[in-house]
Amino acid sequence: MFSVVQHYELTLDANSTDKVLKQQLKQLLPSMPRRMDRLALLTLLLALPFRDQLASRCGIYLAADYPSLNNMYALLDTVIIQQQLPKPFEFVNSVSNAASFYAAQMLNLDGPNVFIGAGSQPWQPLAELAYADLHCDIVSEALLIRCLQGNNQLSGQAVLLRRGDWQPKHWQFSDFVAAQG
């Protein structure tokens, strides 16, 4: 199944503004894409600790239990309330896969970048997608990321996997942490 290379966990102040997240990223990146939403900012903050060890054929598998809520509200307001066409930023970032696309672009990765909407148990579906790509030799490694927002939290977890013999028992992040070798 898997070999756990590295894991990372991030917890931020739930009241952190997008400006604060961008300032943190500017310290880590030489340049940033324009007009990223909160989900993309958090995804990048979770992916960047792995950047020095990622192979170009790494895939990014992102799960969040929310879309970018501000973008969805803006999109719905523009289309339904104002009855106008959405702005490009509202439309593009309403597709949550934009967050994994930005991360792949900033890390120069050629593997697939996939977003799944997930509830409280995202690790098994993320790992199953990664398993399929790893064992079909589509990717050489897989970066799994989970973003959490709301309920007074802004956090996330990430794990870098390669092919191996280990399989999670409970499909929790703690399984991946314990298995890192």
Side-chain angles (χ1 to χ4, degrees):
M1 290 275 315
F2 301 109
S3 171
V4 178
V5 178
Q6 181 181 347
H7 72 278
Y8 179 69
E9 196 163 10
L10 176 68
T11 302
L12 300 166
D13 180 351
N15 298 317
S16 296
T17 64
D18 289 0
K19 184 177 181 178
V20 169
L21 300 179
K22 287 177 184 177
Q23 287 172 343
Q24 289 180 358
L25 282 170
K26 283 181 183 178
Q27 295 173 2
L28 303 170
L29 291 171
S31 65
M32 287 189 30
R34 294 181 43 210
R35 299 183 175 172
M36 287 191 306
D37 65 12
R38 191 172 188 80
L39 178 56
L41 295 169
L42 183 56
T43 300
L44 270 173
L45 284 169
L46 287 160
L48 282 171
F50 300 91
R51 74 175 151 194
D52 292 333
Q53 57 187 327
L54 297 174
S56 65
R57 285 187 38 225
C58 181
I60 295 180
Y61 305 84
L62 171 64
D65 54 358
Y66 65 94
S68 177
L69 296 177
N70 290 341
N71 287 340
M72 289 304 294
Y73 293 146
L75 177 72
L76 292 173
D77 181 66
T78 300
V79 173
I80 295 173
I81 306 297
Q82 298 174 25
Q83 297 185 346
Q84 296 177 359
L85 292 174
K87 297 173 185 152
F89 172 70
E90 293 170 342
F91 177 73
V92 169
N93 286 319
S94 70
V95 181
S96 295
N97 202 55
S100 56
F101 168 79
Y102 283 134
Q105 181 184 42
M106 295 306 297
L107 297 169
N108 296 315
L109 302 178
D110 297 328
N113 54 79
V114 178
F115 172 84
I116 62 169
S120 61
Q121 303 296 324
W123 293 106
Q124 184 169 0
L126 281 176
E128 287 174 353
L129 289 168
Y131 175 83
D133 286 351
L134 282 165
H135 289 271
C136 290
D137 203 31
I138 294 170
V139 298
S140 57
E141 53 193 22
L143 180 59
L144 280 57
I145 301 173
R146 178 188 190 193
C147 293
L148 297 158
Q149 180 180 321
N151 298 328
N152 294 320
Q153 65 181 355
L154 180 60
S155 62
Q157 304 155 329
V159 62
L160 180 60
L161 303 174
R162 292 190 182 123
R163 288 170 73 163
D165 298 325
W166 173 80
Q167 178 177 336
K169 291 186 179 174
H170 305 288
W171 298 100
Q172 301 290 323
F173 182 69
S174 57
D175 289 347
F176 294 95
V177 171
Q180 182 176 334

